[in-house]
Amino acid sequence: MKTERLHVFTPILAACCLTVAGWWAVSCKTDRQSSEPSAPYDEYASVVDTSAYFLDICVDSLDVSHHTIHSGENLSLIFHRLGLSPSRTDSIIKVAGSLLDPKKIRAGNRYYTLTMRDEEAQPMFVVFAKTLTDHVVIDLSPPVGAYPYQKEVALRQSYLDGSVKSSLWTEIRNRGVDPVLAVHLSDVYAWQIDFFAIQPEDSFQVFYTEAFIDSVTSTGILSVDGALFIQAGRPYLAIPFMQDSVREFFDEEGQSLRKAFLKAPLDFFRITSRFTHSRFHPVLKRYRAHHGVDYAAPTGTPVKTIGDGRVVARGFESGGGGNYLKIQHNATYTTSYMHLSRFAAGTGVGAHVRQGEVIGYVGSTGLSTGAHLDFRVYRNGQAIDPLKMESPPSHPVRPALRDSFERVRLQLTDRLRASGGMCDTATLSVESNNNN
């Protein structure tokens, strides 16, 4: 795995950056470096080194301790254990009420106490962590005050390449990278690549942006910033480009990767039965047509509609399909989702759904021997093989933007080549074919 830092981000990456609020600093040493990072949470379990800062609070003479909120605890109990009187606790809760809703205090959340190093060990600050970045600081010095604090978020662009030995998720996780990157890639290539048919010789290169706090704690992968995936020897280039104020991915010819339908209605699970005119039914014990594709997945796995449309049927089919839902996408195509354990909210007959929206959850209702989704596609009322369905591309790069797109394409292919990953030969092939 190779990684690289980008010191200059494009406007696209900047737009992905998490908003960081202004600083509310407590005055301390005047020679503090503004770029000094905060230490990770767990390093504040006891005493903090002199001249250190915690959330912009100088802790030269303070001990910083972290605590975990336990089941049944609330703000009143927490402040009582800190030695605060009921009347003072009440005033603190009133002051912090607009920032810290007592009803949203959850077991497992963290809070921090900043205490004077003296015999009385009086707490000077209490800090509640709402998320990894969002905090509420309560200053107990009279008069009591409270203010929000957001940790600074740093963006880091990294690079990863490799061959897929078993699954994309497993390959990325084994490289020490957040496997959610596999979900991002599946979203980018949802219309081109069948992730159920990954072969050992398939390979990939990807640039991606991840957000960090305290320089080491990841808050998640924000975006894919360019990729090349090779499946069955065919290269698929994904070029990010802004058109009509929307960031989309295009191939090397400027055709959008987004098509009318997704390749599959759920992610990263196994096909157990394909489209056929004669299949031995495991329950009925006889041969009959199976005009769909069965995806084995755990009960409760979210099922997504493969395209925009309107729900035209929903109910229970005791003779086979169990809980099922049908969506009409246009005058030509309709899709059906069967054996669902339950339906998603807002999917009644007549409801409009958007591509990728969760419409139900995998189950084993009806004539079924185990949890799976029976997915079917109808064209002009006739069942067709979902795995062989073709879908026209959406809007390509407009002629007025072709020069700008070409610069982005060349920049990405140059960087992929320079990275020297598993897909280097294919990268050169893609660029050469385009130039010819």
Side-chain angles (χ1 to χ4, degrees):
M1 178 178 68
K2 304 177 184 178
T3 60
E4 62 178 24
R5 297 289 298 272
L6 290 188
H7 301 288
V8 179
F9 287 90
T10 66
I12 294 174
L13 293 182
C16 295
C17 182
L18 299 178
T19 303
V20 180
W23 304 100
W24 290 268
V26 176
S27 64
C28 196
K29 296 183 180 296
T30 58
D31 60 349
R32 179 192 175 197
Q33 296 296 314
S34 61
S35 61
E36 178 184 0
S38 302
Y41 290 151
D42 289 338
E43 294 185 10
Y44 286 95
S46 56
V47 178
V48 179
D49 293 337
T50 58
S51 300
Y53 288 78
F54 178 68
L55 305 183
D56 270 3
I57 300 173
C58 179
V59 292
D60 281 359
S61 58
L62 300 177
D63 285 336
V64 181
S65 300
H66 75 251
H67 313 267
T68 300
I69 298 175
H70 299 289
S71 179
E73 286 190 322
N74 54 37
L75 291 179
S76 296
L77 182 58
I78 290 171
F79 288 126
H80 172 72
R81 288 177 176 172
L82 295 178
L84 303 179
S85 66
S87 60
R88 195 175 182 200
T89 294
D90 184 62
S91 65
I92 292 171
I93 293 176
K94 287 181 179 179
V95 168
S98 62
L99 302 173
L100 191 65
D101 186 347
K103 296 180 181 179
K104 294 185 179 180
I105 297 298
R106 297 285 185 267
N109 286 357
R110 287 188 173 185
Y111 69 96
Y112 306 83
T113 55
L114 285 66
T115 309
M116 289 294 297
R117 295 175 188 161
D118 56 29
E119 295 181 358
E120 296 183 359
Q122 290 292 316
M124 302 299 295
F125 298 88
V126 181
V127 179
F128 289 90
K130 299 169 71 174
T131 66
L132 285 175
T133 55
D134 296 334
H135 298 72
V136 175
V137 180
I138 300 175
D139 186 347
L140 299 178
S141 303
V144 173
Y147 56 88
Y149 186 96
Q150 269 195 321
K151 281 197 170 186
E152 183 178 7
V153 177
L155 297 184
R156 182 184 304 164
Q157 190 180 70
S158 301
Y159 167 82
L160 180 67
D161 62 48
S163 295
V164 183
K165 299 177 178 63
S166 56
S167 72
L168 185 61
W169 179 281
T170 301
E171 177 66 24
I172 291 175
R173 182 187 60 191
N174 289 346
R175 296 297 194 90
V177 175
D178 186 347
V180 171
L181 178 59
V183 177
H184 284 272
L185 280 171
S186 70
D187 288 341
V188 170
Y189 288 114
W191 296 267
Q192 286 73 39
I193 295 176
D194 184 356
F195 284 94
F196 298 98
I198 293 293
Q199 299 297 319
E201 65 271 17
D202 293 347
S203 54
F204 66 93
Q205 291 178 257
V206 57
F207 292 100
Y208 63 96
T209 295
E210 194 168 3
F212 289 84
I213 58 173
D214 299 328
S215 299
V216 294
T217 304
S218 172
T219 63
I221 292 174
L222 298 182
S223 63
V224 168
D225 305 315
L228 179 64
F229 202 102
I230 296 180
Q231 184 175 53
R234 178 179 175 181
Y236 296 89
L237 191 62
I239 306 167
F241 188 70
M242 292 286 290
Q243 180 168 258
D244 299 325
S245 301
V246 176
R247 184 178 188 258
E248 288 190 65
F249 287 90
F250 298 86
D251 64 17
E252 66 273 18
E253 297 179 353
Q255 298 293 330
S256 174
L257 298 192
R258 180 178 294 274
K259 294 187 177 182
F261 300 118
L262 299 178
K263 272 283 189 180
L266 69 170
D267 297 324
F268 302 111
F269 295 100
R270 186 166 49 93
I271 292 178
T272 56
S273 183
R274 296 174 180 264
F275 186 97
T276 178
H277 295 293
S278 180
R279 183 194 70 158
F280 185 77
H281 196 282
V283 177
L284 299 177
K285 305 300 183 182
R286 59 184 174 86
Y287 286 91
R288 71 174 189 175
H290 181 255
H291 289 162
V293 174
D294 286 349
Y295 294 95
T299 297
T301 300
V303 176
K304 302 177 292 186
T305 172
I306 66 167
D308 292 356
R310 182 173 60 89
V311 178
V312 293
R314 193 183 92 161
F316 183 83
E317 184 181 74
S318 59
N323 289 328
Y324 75 97
L325 186 146
K326 286 187 177 181
I327 297 174
Q328 182 176 343
H329 300 283
N330 50 37
T332 303
Y333 288 99
T334 301
T335 54
S336 177
Y337 310 78
M338 303 164 69
H339 303 304
L340 302 174
S341 60
R342 60 189 176 93
F343 305 107
T347 58
V349 174
H352 290 272
V353 292
R354 301 299 301 272
Q355 185 180 70
E357 181 178 339
V358 175
I359 55 173
Y361 301 86
V362 170
S364 187
T365 56
L367 293 181
S368 170
T369 58
H372 72 286
L373 172 72
D374 185 340
F375 173 61
R376 305 191 177 199
V377 178
Y378 301 89
R379 183 173 59 202
N380 296 322
Q382 298 296 315
I384 65 171
D385 188 346
L387 300 179
K388 297 180 180 180
M389 179 176 60
E390 292 295 331
S391 180
S394 59
H395 301 297
V397 173
R398 296 201 311 271
L401 299 176
R402 290 295 305 192
D403 288 345
S404 298
F405 172 77
E406 185 65 13
R407 287 193 294 270
V408 174
R409 185 191 69 80
L410 289 173
Q411 182 184 45
L412 175 60
T413 53
D414 285 346
R415 292 183 63 204
L416 288 168
R417 185 199 299 108
S419 297
M422 299 294 294
C423 307
D424 186 53
T425 300
T427 305
L428 294 172
S429 176
V430 167
E431 184 172 5
S432 176
N433 291 341
N434 187 269
N435 288 336
N436 292 336

